[in-house]
Amino acid sequence: MNESLSILAMQVLNGLAYGMLLFLLAAGLSLIFGNMDILNLAHGSFYMLGAYIALSVAQYLDNFWLALILAPLLVGLISLVLELGLLRISYNRGHLTQVLLTFGLAYVFNDLVRWIWGAAIHTLTPPASISGSLEIMGQTFPRYRVFVVLLGFVIAFLLWFFQEKTRWGAIIRAGVSDKEMVGGLGINIHLVFTLIFALGGVLAGLSGVAAGPILGLYPGMDFETLIFALIVVVVGGLGSFTATFGGAIIIGLADTLGKVWFPEASLFLIFAIMAVVLLVKPQGLFGGRAA
Amino acid sequence: MNRKNLLAMSVLFLISLVLPWVIAVYPLGIVIEILIYGIFASSLNLLLGYSGLVSFGHAAFFGIGAYTASIFAQNVSANIFFTLPAAVIVSLLAALIIGFFCTRVSGFYFLMLTLAFAQMIYAIAHQWESLTGGSNGLSGIPVPQLWSGFSFEDQKLLYYLILIVFLLVIFGIRRFIASPVGQTLIGIRENEGRLKAIGYNIRNYKLLAFVIAGGLGGVAGALYSYFNGFVSPHEVYWTVSGHAIIMVIIGGAGTLIGPTLGAGFLIILQSVVSSYTDRWYSIVGLTFIAFVLFAPKGIMGLISLLKLPGKKEVTQNFNVEGEKA
Amino acid sequence: MIENGTKNKKALHIEDLSKNFGGLNILDQLSMSVTPGERRAIIGPNGAGKTTLFNVISGELKACKGSISLFGEEVIDMPNHQRARRGLARSYQKNNLFLNLSVLDNLALVLQRKHNHEGNWFKHRSPKAFPLLYKEAESFLESWNLAKKSHVKVAELSYGEQREIEILLGVAADPKILLLDEPTAGMSVAETQHMLRFLENFPVDMTMLIIEHDMEIVFGLADRITVLYYGKVLAEGTPEEIRADSRVREVYLGSEVSEKYA
């Protein structure tokens, strides 16, 4: 394989890995937004918490795999508590109130992370079995990125299966398009909201853990990544995990390849994509609902 | 305006005139900051409070104003008749471009887009080193001048400059909001759909509000660069947008002086709290959550509660346009 | 151009209008026309597509297919504010008002548009600066017995008063065509009578389409009646013709009306 092609293959892998991280984050964001009409501005905080909790778990238990499972669950628990304790009491006050509440939480979490873990940059170390490099067709790839891509595909498949093939998935799909109908079916919509918010937290936490070895841990990672997740939601569109998946892959690849080819203007590429999508297809490339 | 208000205003005005001569340099600096952020929060209030447009990227214009004024002061002239209009024009143009995209969407999509665009401006401030000095920012900005030989070296003079601009902005907003266009913006906040059916082209109004708010945000940024003598990408960071939202909500969205009260509350709180603890962000976050839950109409709402019970409340509910509360 | 000639004489001309939601045809190749100055009642059972028809005419919903012309001008691709500027106004089945604004401010939003002050951004909107606008507002509020309430927040009014303002916002625009969606919905008998007197006194050259369930109003007010049934026009004619139409009785009017008006 010639050299430029092998660099390209490597960057495509990097882009896919980044896309998967964005997918995990944006999936929860768009799920919460699509169903509950709440733009969760603390979603980046959940991502950050996932990474930092995993850092502690990995340090104390010396086991990355446990961290990969425990941290997202803990973040899910935190988001569950927040939904029940804070958002639920404000449902009758309109969605702006709830968005503002999540924004207040983002401040608090940003500070808590600084307080508990300090302002220094940390990194998560993956276990030996998924670090180092892997040879495919005479080309070496970093194992961990391959792992992240596989993880992303597995989660995406599970979410797709959940949404398309299960009863709860059908309820959630109905919730995106018609909330009154869900209520009319005799389903407790508040319970649905709580579960969705918690699931969103789990996914964001998972994204944070998986991102730890690649992107590192630092205060400020919350909003930096949230903005990319928002762009994914705008580009992909609302309505299904498939839409988010498509948007995430596009943005992940565009950002990574853009950084290689036009390092000066990589960010503009992302924003240009977003602007074009908004002009041409405001409901998102794969979404059903208009912005 | 009734006589009691007029009297109160005159007293306030007199106090603000003699203030630099009775307080020390440090508290005067805090007052200047309150005025600058008062302008900034009031400009955001045009969107968030009056029009119901939740912009999460207002720092973009603060930063653009600050950088433009600084770059012109360093490279062309420090005359404020030059740097201030330059900052306003560049902010207006940026607001026109960003607003063109953002006003095509409604509800929380608007929030997402404004946030994303502001982050892009932040990235520019970071990456375009030859122009912005990158993450080091721009330092050694020349002291602003009125004409050559008359510079605002003395903070008292700078205070008067900023006070004048502040008063112009506040009275300008008051006038604008009372005009048919301003009343239409309030109509957008209250019921966008009906307004369209009446025959208003809503997008044009939103864009106008966005551009004016952006221009005034640029004014605040330029004043900040005069006061601070140094600008960095931090001025464009999302926290600056976030602080402005917090100021508007805490002070009272959709009221004339609420945002300035919010700015005062936040800045004074910060200067008090920061001498005791490093947990400033937690305190801001929790204070904000408390206001959203228990006093959604902000300080202005609390003040109106103190007045005679028969009196109607002065503040408006905050609604997102495109959403019925 | 004979066809255009007849179209031009029509206040509203609809051809082959279709609208579907999720595969369900709410409007199904519907055609109808209304002559200038006509009072046309639209009736039909629930789910016949009456409100959807209004939403498509006003431009709040986009039609899937077909044509709508207002006084000879095709408006199918126009956004709703442009249709409003061509003389279309409407009221809604559910009150759709500026609840946190005063009665006067609600009305002023309509009147400042009509008087082309809506681009004025420097003058304080006050009786002194805009005497004509406020004089007109005053006379509207006076004749609707709302003068005492002009500075009250609409949210604080009774339902009946809010309903009147709902209609007032439509008629104050001085439209060429006014669409009224169940103007008396939820009103008491006395309020309905009151409203009927207003409707009767609307300017004679104003074309009016009215969706109404109250048959007394329908038969008392309408020059012609269109009966919708599953998105199609089932029958159209004068009140007498509709009353005599057996299909209409079958699907909609039922025995109640036959007894009352036969």
Side-chain angles (χ1 to χ4, degrees), chain B residues 33-98:
Chain B
E33 254 186 87
I34 291 173
L35 292 177
I36 292 171
Y37 281 100
I39 295 173
F40 185 54
S42 297
S43 70
L44 176 66
N45 189 36
L46 279 176
L47 301 173
L48 175 62
Y50 288 115
S51 316
L53 295 165
V54 190
S55 167
F56 226 106
H58 212 49
F61 307 109
F62 192 81
I64 288 170
Y67 272 104
T68 309
S70 307
I71 290 166
F72 274 84
Q74 280 186 336
N75 298 307
V76 193
S77 153
N79 188 316
I80 61 160
F81 289 113
F82 193 77
T83 55
L84 197 56
V88 172
I89 289 169
V90 177
S91 318
L92 286 175
L93 282 176
L96 191 67
I97 296 167
I98 295 175

Side-chain angles (χ1 to χ4, degrees), chain C:
Chain C
M1 300 297 273
I2 297 168
E3 203 206 343
N4 267 344
T6 54
K7 255 193 194 175
N8 284 338
K9 287 192 197 114
K10 300 294 180 191
L12 172 69
H13 184 83
I14 294 173
E15 249 178 58
D16 268 344
L17 194 64
S18 293
K19 174 74 194 171
N20 56 55
F21 292 107
L24 206 64
N25 287 327
I26 306 296
L27 300 177
D28 191 1
Q29 301 190 314
L30 182 144
S31 299
M32 65 183 282
S33 9
V34 181
T35 50
E38 191 182 319
R39 267 104 226 260
R40 171 72 60 94
I42 314 275
I43 63 172
N46 284 331
K50 303 182 297 280
T51 296
T52 304
L53 175 64
F54 270 21
N55 286 338
V56 173
I57 294 175
S58 70
E60 274 147 298
L61 287 177
K62 235 177 122 50
C64 301
K65 225 181 75 200
S67 118
I68 300 172
S69 60
L70 292 176
F71 297 94
E73 185 183 13
E74 180 61 55
V75 297
I76 193 84
D77 291 323
M78 267 182 207
N80 62 339
H81 71 269
Q82 282 179 19
R83 301 188 198 189
R85 297 175 89 95
R86 279 163 176 74
L88 183 82
R90 68 168 299 183
S91 75
Y92 294 80
Q93 188 179 8
K94 280 187 194 154
N95 288 343
N96 189 6
L97 301 165
F98 306 92
L99 285 177
N100 290 311
L101 304 186
S102 72
V103 174
L104 185 62
D105 283 344
N106 270 261
L107 190 54
L109 282 172
V110 176
L111 297 178
Q112 71 180 24
R113 228 302 293 129
K114 184 169 90 181
H115 292 275
N116 293 318
H117 295 314
E118 82 266 32
N120 189 321
W121 53 271
F122 49 89
K123 255 192 198 171
H124 187 151
R125 196 181 71 192
S126 65
K128 219 167 92 190
F130 300 97
L132 282 177
L133 188 154
Y134 278 87
K135 204 168 265 177
E136 191 179 353
E138 210 173 283
S139 86
F140 268 119
L141 293 176
E142 203 113 313
S143 64
W144 287 62
N145 294 326
L146 287 164
K148 275 191 212 128
K149 307 276 170 110
S150 68
H151 292 287
V152 179
K153 248 166 80 166
V154 168
E156 287 160 14
L157 298 178
S158 73
Y159 175 80
E161 288 167 325
Q162 289 183 6
R163 199 72 199 136
E164 285 178 20
I165 292 164
E166 177 66 42
I167 314 298
L168 178 57
L169 292 195
V171 74
D174 209 1
K176 291 195 275 186
I177 296 193
L178 178 61
L179 313 179
L180 297 174
D181 195 348
E182 296 195 36
T184 66
M187 281 188 162
S188 68
V189 179
E191 286 168 337
T192 302
Q193 285 304 319
H194 193 64
M195 179 61 71
L196 184 57
R197 273 199 299 282
F198 279 120
L199 298 182
E200 281 165 349
N201 288 324
F202 279 2
V204 284
D205 57 341
M206 187 191 287
T207 313
M208 198 160 90
L209 273 74
I210 176 167
I211 295 173
E212 189 49 78
H213 282 303
D214 187 319
M215 286 305 139
E216 202 175 330
I217 292 194
V218 169
F219 285 103
L221 197 71
D223 303 318
R224 290 176 74 78
I225 298 173
T226 299
V227 186
L228 290 194
Y229 189 60
Y230 286 116
K232 285 187 194 293
V233 174
L234 179 79
E236 192 179 304
T238 62
E240 291 72 31
E241 287 164 359
I242 293 301
R243 214 173 284 162
D245 193 310
S246 58
R247 287 169 309 166
V248 176
R249 285 192 196 195
E250 212 171 287
V251 302
Y252 181 59
L253 296 175
S255 53
E256 175 211 348
V257 175
S258 351
E259 278 160 28
K260 208 164 165 186
Y261 293 97

Side-chain angles (χ1 to χ4, degrees), chain A residues 29 33 37-39 41 86 89-90 93-101 103-112 114-115 219-224 226-227 230-231 233-234 237-238 263-268 271 274-276 278-280 282-283 289-291, chain B residues 48 54 56 100-102 104-109 111-113 115-124 127-128 237-246 249 278-286 288-296 318-320 323-325:
Chain A
L29 191 69
F33 186 37
D37 282 330
I38 298 174
L39 184 60
L41 291 172
L86 198 61
I89 55 172
S90 61
R93 298 262 299 272
H95 299 305
L96 180 56
T97 299
Q98 296 174 312
V99 174
L100 292 176
L101 289 175
F103 178 54
L105 287 174
Y107 267 78
V108 176
F109 282 129
N110 187 290
D111 197 41
L112 277 182
R114 243 176 252 262
W115 196 3
M221 66 191 282
D222 47 356
F223 257 75
E224 214 164 279
L226 174 70
I227 284 155
L230 293 176
I231 294 173
V233 171
V234 171
L238 284 176
E264 300 287 300
S266 62
L267 254 168
F268 293 98
F271 285 93
M274 183 179 77
V276 170
L278 272 170
L279 287 177
V280 180
Q283 71 273 32
R289 207 169 86 173
Chain B
L48 175 62
V54 190
F56 226 106
F100 172 80
F101 289 101
C102 295
R104 294 177 73 88
V105 298
S106 55
F108 293 124
Y109 272 88
L111 191 162
M112 288 191 215
L113 277 191
L115 180 58
F117 273 109
Q119 205 61 17
M120 182 171 81
I121 303 290
Y122 175 72
I124 293 175
Q127 287 178 357
W128 197 350
Y237 202 47
W238 66 267
T239 49
V240 175
S241 303
H243 277 49
I245 291 180
I246 292 175
I249 301 284
D278 289 335
R279 301 276 68 83
W280 166 236
Y281 268 41
S282 290
I283 290 167
V284 179
L286 293 173
F288 180 62
I289 289 173
F291 263 96
V292 170
L293 283 178
F294 305 115
F318 41 87
N319 297 331
V320 200
E323 169 191 275
K324 293 271 188 62

Side-chain angles (χ1 to χ4, degrees), chain A residues 21-36 38 40 42-50 71-83 87 155 159 162 172 191-209 226 229 241 244:
Chain A
L21 298 174
L22 289 177
F23 166 69
L24 292 176
L25 189 60
L29 191 69
S30 89
L31 188 66
I32 294 169
F33 186 37
N35 274 272
M36 304 166 73
I38 298 174
N40 179 21
H43 210 68
S45 314
F46 292 164
Y47 162 88
M48 177 168 69
L49 279 174
L73 289 179
L74 272 171
V75 177
L77 188 67
I78 292 170
S79 56
L80 183 86
V81 170
L82 289 175
E83 203 281 338
L87 297 184
I155 300 285
L159 287 174
F162 166 73
I172 288 174
L191 181 64
V192 176
F193 284 175
T194 307
L195 293 177
I196 284 173
F197 204 76
L199 177 61
V202 171
L203 289 171
L206 184 63
S207 175
V209 187
L226 174 70
F241 291 120
T244 313

Side-chain angles (χ1 to χ4, degrees), chain A residues 87-168:
Chain A
L87 297 184
R88 167 115 9 150
I89 55 172
S90 61
Y91 273 132
N92 56 351
R93 298 262 299 272
H95 299 305
L96 180 56
T97 299
Q98 296 174 312
V99 174
L100 292 176
L101 289 175
T102 64
F103 178 54
L105 287 174
Y107 267 78
V108 176
F109 282 129
N110 187 290
D111 197 41
L112 277 182
V113 164
R114 243 176 252 262
W115 196 3
I116 299 174
W117 287 280
I121 296 173
H122 295 276
T123 181
L124 271 173
T125 318
S129 55
I130 48 170
S131 41
S133 56
L134 184 74
E135 202 160 304
I136 305 169
M137 290 166 61
Q139 158 115 14
T140 51
F141 292 102
R143 251 174 227 265
Y144 187 73
R145 313 250 166 169
V146 176
F147 165 73
V148 168
V149 172
L150 291 177
L151 177 74
F153 269 102
V154 168
I155 300 285
F157 174 77
L158 288 177
L159 287 174
W160 172 83
F161 186 83
F162 166 73
Q163 189 172 44
E164 299 293 327
K165 306 289 176 194
T166 66
R167 183 178 137 78
W168 278 99

